[in-house]
Amino acid sequence: MLKRKIEKELIEWKNKKDKMCLVVKGARQVGKTYIIDKFARENYPNYIYMNFDEMPSYKSIFNGDLDPETIIKQITLNIQNVKLVPNETVIFLDEIQNCPRARTALKFLSIDKRFDVIASGSLLGINYEEVPSFPVGYVENLELYSLDFEEFLWANGISEQGIGYLREYFEKNEEIPIATHNKMMNMFKEYIVVGGMPRVVDEYITTHDFSRVLKIQRDIIDNYLDDIAKYAISSEKAKARECFLSIPKQLSKDYKKFQYSLVEERGTSRKFAGSLMWLYDAGIINYCYNLRNLELPLEGNSISNQFKIYMNDTGLLVSMLEEGTQKDIIDGNLGIYKGAIYENIIADIFNKLGKKLYYFEYRNKLEMDFIIRYKNKVTAVEVKSAENTKAKSMTNIIQNWKVPQGIKLSSKNISGNEIVRNYPLYMAMFIT
């Protein structure tokens, strides 16, 4: 059983005195149904589960009036042996994107407050014209991603105490014992290959068989392609598929700004921008925007039509590459993809820490992998796949662009000074 951080957040939500309905969003197969079902069974005397994908007939419960009394009556008519006891019951509406009226009903169930309600799903298949109204201001949202590196360490038997031990070195800026450092670098490489999809991680910790890991990952990729065929509107199906399949090509370039011409010769934003947004809404990709100026707030300086695209799970990205890539990563021989894979894993870690992703590129002469707010300052982040951390870009951006501090992430141990610090790649999880 995989331990997830969201379990604590679910308990905190349950204990609120004036809670609203909870919506848990996330890409397919990140474990939403499993973790919510586990939480509901362990914390409530009465539990009602409705999956609108498996049981389309449940949609009829919300066909009429959406006041709580009508909904309660319809639940008791349509589901046998249910107990709706106020303050002791949780209702789990799974795959809610398949029942737009249930999404609207969350507003009225939030106001009613007799029953705890959790909805889960993605934006796949939502026809916005079919939703009478969205419950804006009446729901609380949580995002569930695939396992982050800390959760991956838990799954592999590393305790919270052990991770706290690493954090102390990070905070004190002290070099880590070499044996510990080497072990963590090896586990980080394994995380790059395996990623964080629960089925994949569970297979890995059970068998340590990378070939079986790869098969499951490629099954998930096939499922994503099936979702595109099933849920994307007709005009977007082929375009969304081509955008998705172009991601490895996009990231193999030295200059990683997304180029529509790699999706299709003479491809344009007008043709493909909507398809990319569909993949983003589905939780498959994330945007990293270029900045006009290196000043806070970063969002106010972002350039909306200049961006890089990263996969939200690096293990899935690796599975899209040629045979033998897994071994190359473990051995440290990545060829043209080394920058792409290490950038993608750091983007994934930052995203799971709740950071919006930004980079800086100036006239094809200067590029910094990421720009973040850290300790309330603009911070340049450079990602290296080896121990060689010498780079002109960091020096240039600090000296000429008035960036007050920088972080270099590589396979090198902790070093540096107050202005530029070198941290091992695995310590990106502490840059909060």
Side-chain angles (χ1 to χ4, degrees):
M1 183 178 69
L2 300 174
K3 179 181 175 183
R4 304 299 307 273
K5 292 178 181 177
I6 199 173
E7 294 180 69
K8 181 180 178 182
E9 295 178 273
L10 290 170
I11 292 292
E12 289 173 352
W13 169 78
K14 180 182 184 297
N15 292 334
K16 288 180 180 178
K17 292 182 179 179
D18 190 27
K19 71 174 74 70
M20 297 181 288
C21 294
L22 181 68
V23 176
V24 179
K25 297 184 291 184
R28 288 207 178 261
Q29 303 193 48
V30 295
K32 299 186 298 296
T33 298
Y34 172 82
I35 207 70
I36 298 169
D37 181 78
K38 176 177 177 289
F39 163 75
R41 293 182 186 278
E42 291 177 352
N43 291 279
Y44 291 87
N46 304 297
Y47 169 35
I48 298 169
Y49 176 65
M50 286 183 269
N51 186 312
F52 297 111
D53 194 16
E54 292 179 356
M55 294 289 289
S57 61
Y58 286 153
K59 297 178 189 178
S60 65
I61 293 171
F62 300 90
N63 281 346
D65 293 338
L66 294 179
D67 63 284
E69 291 299 338
T70 300
I71 293 171
I72 290 165
K73 289 176 184 176
Q74 289 300 316
I75 289 174
T76 58
L77 286 170
N78 284 272
I79 305 175
Q80 295 182 346
N81 302 319
V82 297
K83 289 184 179 180
L84 284 158
V85 181
N87 303 314
E88 295 183 3
T89 304
V90 63
I91 302 170
F92 178 17
L93 306 175
D94 201 5
E95 303 292 356
I96 196 170
Q97 73 275 3
N98 291 321
C99 186
R101 288 183 60 81
R103 192 175 174 94
T104 299
L106 295 178
K107 172 182 178 179
F108 308 108
L109 293 168
S110 279
I111 294 171
D112 184 67
K113 296 188 184 304
R114 279 178 288 174
F115 311 104
D116 288 356
V117 179
I118 304 176
S120 179
S122 68
L123 295 180
L124 294 176
I126 284 273
N127 184 338
Y128 293 95
E129 295 179 354
E130 293 178 358
V131 183
S133 67
F134 285 91
V136 177
Y138 292 93
V139 298
E140 182 176 342
N141 293 293
L142 279 180
E143 189 86 24
L144 181 63
Y145 301 100
S146 62
L147 278 76
D148 66 20
F149 183 51
E150 190 171 2
E151 291 170 323
F152 180 79
L153 292 177
W154 293 343
N156 281 275
I158 305 296
S159 67
E160 292 187 47
Q161 183 179 11
I163 296 170
Y165 164 78
L166 284 174
R167 189 186 294 272
E168 289 179 11
Y169 283 96
F170 175 82
E171 291 173 348
K172 294 177 181 177
N173 202 36
E174 294 178 356
E175 191 169 291
I176 306 160
I178 190 64
T180 302
H181 172 68
N182 289 339
K183 178 179 180 180
M184 292 304 300
M185 279 304 305
N186 288 334
M187 295 195 76
F188 190 73
K189 290 176 183 177
E190 291 172 7
Y191 178 61
I192 291 173
V193 170
V194 174
M197 300 301 280
R199 277 179 57 211
V200 179
V201 175
D202 191 57
E203 182 67 34
Y204 177 69
I205 62 176
T206 302
T207 67
H208 287 89
D209 185 334
F210 284 109
S211 63
R212 294 175 70 167
V213 162
L214 183 60
K215 183 182 184 308
I216 295 173
Q217 288 169 327
R218 288 182 170 172
D219 286 344
I220 293 172
I221 294 295
D222 287 342
N223 289 338
Y224 281 176
L225 293 172
D226 289 343
D227 283 339
I228 292 171
K230 179 179 179 181
Y231 290 113
I233 61 175
S234 297
S235 61
E236 296 292 342
K237 290 183 190 297
K239 292 186 289 183
R241 178 186 175 89
E242 292 307 311
C243 283
F244 177 59
L245 294 176
S246 81
I247 292 173
K249 288 187 290 184
Q250 302 283 350
L251 292 174
S252 69
K253 303 182 281 84
D254 288 333
Y255 181 52
K256 296 179 178 60
K257 175 186 172 184
F258 189 88
Q259 296 178 17
Y260 294 103
S261 60
L262 290 179
V263 181
E264 178 185 86
E265 188 175 357
R266 298 178 184 173
T268 62
S269 169
R270 183 175 182 179
K271 182 173 182 178
F272 290 104
S275 302
L276 276 181
M277 186 55 68
W278 190 94
L279 294 172
Y280 171 79
D281 286 343
I284 297 171
I285 64 169
N286 213 337
Y287 288 87
C288 180
Y289 289 98
N290 193 14
L291 294 171
R292 187 174 290 105
N293 297 303
L294 297 176
E295 300 172 349
L296 297 176
L298 298 176
E299 178 61 27
N301 289 295
S302 64
I303 305 171
S304 61
N305 64 349
Q306 295 180 22
F307 53 84
K308 299 185 284 188
I309 292 293
Y310 293 109
M311 288 277 287
N312 271 346
D313 187 89
T314 306
L316 294 183
L317 171 65
V318 171
S319 76
M320 296 173 72
L321 305 179
E322 63 270 14
E323 297 289 340
T325 303
Q326 290 178 315
K327 184 176 186 303
D328 288 341
I329 292 170
I330 299 298
D331 293 344
N333 177 27
L334 296 175
I336 63 171
Y337 282 109
K338 64 181 179 181
I341 291 169
Y342 279 87
E343 274 189 45
N344 200 99
I345 193 69
I346 299 304
D348 184 26
I349 289 171
F350 283 169
N351 181 49
K352 289 170 179 172
L353 289 173
K355 295 182 183 295
K356 286 192 173 182
L357 302 179
Y358 304 101
Y359 74 103
F360 184 64
E361 186 275 328
Y362 181 71
R363 295 182 179 177
N364 294 331
K365 295 179 181 178
L366 171 66
E367 182 172 0
M368 183 54 55
D369 298 324
F370 299 101
I371 303 292
I372 62 172
R373 179 196 285 259
Y374 180 58
K375 295 185 176 179
N376 223 26
K377 295 178 181 178
V378 174
T379 305
V381 179
E382 196 162 36
V383 181
K384 297 290 184 182
S385 59
E387 287 195 0
N388 181 10
T389 57
K390 293 181 179 180
K392 294 180 181 179
S393 296
M394 184 67 77
T395 302
N396 187 338
I397 207 167
I398 287 175
Q399 291 181 351
N400 300 320
W401 293 84
K402 298 181 180 180
V403 172
Q405 60 188 11
I407 293 172
K408 294 182 181 180
L409 296 168
S410 69
S411 58
K412 191 175 180 179
N413 210 319
I414 294 176
S415 63
N417 52 49
E418 290 298 319
I419 298 175
V420 179
R421 291 190 173 177
N422 298 302
Y423 291 115
L425 288 152
Y426 54 83
M427 283 195 164
M429 64 179 170
F430 299 140
I431 304 176
T432 57

